[in-house]
Amino acid sequence: MSIRRSVVRGVGAYLPKRVITNDELSQTVDTSDAWIQQRTGIRERHIAAEGEFTSHLGLQAARAALADAKMDAREVDLIVLATSTPDQTFPATAVTIQAELGIQKGAAFDVQAVCSGFVFALSTADQYLRSGSFNTALVIGAETFSRILDWKDRGTCVLFGDGAGAIVLQAMDQPGTREDRGVLTTHLRSDGRHRDKLFVDGGPSTTGTAGYLRMEGREVFRHAVGMITDVIEDAYKATGYDSNDIDWFVPHQANRRIIDGSAKKLGIAPSKVVTTVDRHANTSAASIPLALAVAVKDGRIKPGHLVLLEAMGGGFTWGSALVRW
Ligand code: ACO
């Protein structure tokens, strides 16, 4: 019996031009290239220019994804944008991108789950496409974290960067087997008891300012690997697949040690792990689609491959998705 699945038709990304290396950062805060690389694997990050907003980054990534899919924007009837750094408190940054793309039908909205945002947005779009509410979705992760960093706090400012990535998802009938293309399963989790471990100390309803990112790095690290591997085990249970079946593991790019620790615990070979944290740093909701775009462009991810995505971030929130490309 055929079933309706959300199939990836295209992927695209955009990075701001300006690159800041660890050495350059060490001229303004008390840090070093050696410390940052040893603790995080990060070498450099891209930072948005003055006047370059999250919507600009997301729009470029969306255009690249549509070009990759060889599709016209007018086919899109759903935009789900994951971001914690919207252009404005409202309207949703997704509607700015919708208007810039000339789309006048369907719906566009933002999803806020911090670093897990892309997995939450993917899962949301997948539910709408499979239910028949919409047919073609742009799922975008776009962030300008540089705007909410305290550039005097060496414990956080060295970790993040700006960027955007996007995929085009289209509802298609599939045979209904393990070999189906498309999103096979998604699993989302949140636990607000951890909300004070990674947060922004401002907001429209509290301080009336955007605020700055604050983090208990060790606490985040302590929980990350366990949460990530739990939610991946959920994906395995739901599909019958396991680490041996995975062609590519594309994790949220927070920190090299978290990525390596998760892959090791799951028994995923290092050669199957897509890593971009060295060049992009942590771009929050943008990190997974940015990594996907890199691995598709360089020929690693091919149609038919089984791709495992996961993320964990502020809230805490965490989630996984298993996608046959
Ligand atoms: N440069 C040099 N020294 C630093 C820096 C820096 N940038 N930042 C902190 N230090 C110092 C601290 O002051 C401390 O010095 P002290 O011993 O004299 O007090 C020392 O380094 C150790 O500090 P810790 O915070 O204990 O360092 P730790 O080994 O835990 O590494 C890090 C910090 C990299 C943040 C780590 O905790 C981590 O990776 N946590 C996960 C956080 C993360 O990835 N967050 C991303 C957002 S959430 C997500 O996306 C999953």
Side-chain angles (χ1 to χ4, degrees):
M1 194 189 72
S2 79
I3 68 166
R4 197 174 149 96
R5 290 211 190 266
S6 315
V7 176
V8 180
R9 296 289 312 277
V11 59
Y14 177 79
L15 287 160
K17 283 194 181 56
R18 171 102 162 88
V19 173
I20 298 188
T21 62
N22 292 344
D23 279 336
E24 195 177 340
L25 259 186
S26 71
Q27 290 163 22
T28 50
V29 281
D30 182 12
T31 189
S32 67
D33 178 50
W35 191 96
I36 300 171
Q37 286 216 43
Q38 196 247 328
R39 307 280 173 132
T40 71
I42 297 166
R43 286 192 284 128
E44 58 191 34
R45 72 284 293 141
H46 291 250
I47 299 293
E50 208 183 314
E52 193 172 36
F53 305 148
T54 294
S55 62
H56 300 140
L57 275 48
L59 177 63
Q60 297 296 337
R63 285 195 171 128
L66 286 165
D68 185 48
K70 300 186 177 54
M71 281 169 64
D72 190 286
R74 282 169 297 189
E75 285 187 59
V76 172
D77 56 3
L78 176 66
I79 300 178
V80 186
L81 170 73
T83 189
S84 300
T85 45
D87 289 9
Q88 296 154 278
T89 302
F90 75 79
T93 301
V95 301
T96 300
I97 294 175
Q98 183 196 34
E100 290 295 325
L101 289 171
I103 301 169
Q104 291 173 15
K105 65 179 181 187
F109 58 90
D110 292 358
V111 160
Q112 214 278 54
V114 205
C115 296
S116 310
F118 186 77
V119 176
F120 276 60
L122 176 73
S123 180
T124 304
D126 176 49
Q127 313 293 330
Y128 280 119
L129 295 189
R130 281 192 296 112
S131 72
S133 303
F134 298 102
N135 287 311
T136 306
L138 265 169
V139 183
I140 308 168
E143 301 279 19
T144 46
F145 258 50
S146 60
R147 307 267 152 76
I148 54 163
L149 293 176
D150 174 353
W151 287 97
K152 294 192 188 74
D153 175 14
R154 67 178 182 172
T156 54
C157 75
V158 304
L159 302 175
F160 296 90
D162 300 336
I167 61 171
V168 180
L169 274 185
Q170 193 160 49
M172 290 180 151
D173 285 335
Q174 293 291 302
T177 70
R178 268 164 60 97
E179 304 310 314
D180 281 1
R181 286 188 68 199
V183 179
L184 302 179
T185 193
T186 62
H187 298 267
L188 307 182
R189 296 288 307 279
S190 309
D191 186 344
R193 287 174 300 173
H194 299 290
R195 64 192 180 280
D196 293 341
K197 296 185 176 104
L198 176 54
F199 65 100
V200 167
D201 63 4
S205 170
T206 49
T207 59
T209 62
Y212 293 109
L213 184 149
R214 305 292 175 205
M215 179 176 71
E216 292 176 39
R218 282 201 170 181
E219 279 297 299
V220 176
F221 198 94
R222 198 165 69 80
H223 286 88
V225 174
M227 287 177 162
I228 289 164
T229 50
D230 272 1
V231 81
I232 289 173
E233 295 292 348
D234 289 344
Y236 289 166
K237 270 185 220 133
T239 58
Y241 284 119
D242 65 28
S243 293
N244 296 317
D245 301 307
I246 302 303
D247 291 299
W248 297 106
F249 179 42
V250 187
H252 166 50
Q253 307 285 319
N255 180 306
R256 181 92 213 199
R257 288 188 298 160
I258 295 176
I259 294 173
D260 291 349
S262 308
K264 192 169 174 209
K265 194 168 169 202
L266 289 159
I268 298 175
S271 59
K272 292 181 174 180
V273 183
V274 176
T275 310
T276 51
V277 68
D278 54 334
R279 285 167 290 151
H280 301 167
N282 182 348
T283 56
S284 187
S287 89
I288 291 176
L290 271 164
L292 285 171
V294 167
V296 168
K297 200 168 176 201
D298 69 19
R300 274 179 288 177
I301 297 178
K302 293 189 170 59
H305 279 172
L306 195 58
V307 181
L308 175 64
L309 314 178
E310 65 75 8
M312 181 259 180
F316 291 146
T317 55
W318 63 110
S320 66
L322 202 48
V323 182
R324 189 172 297 283
W325 214 253

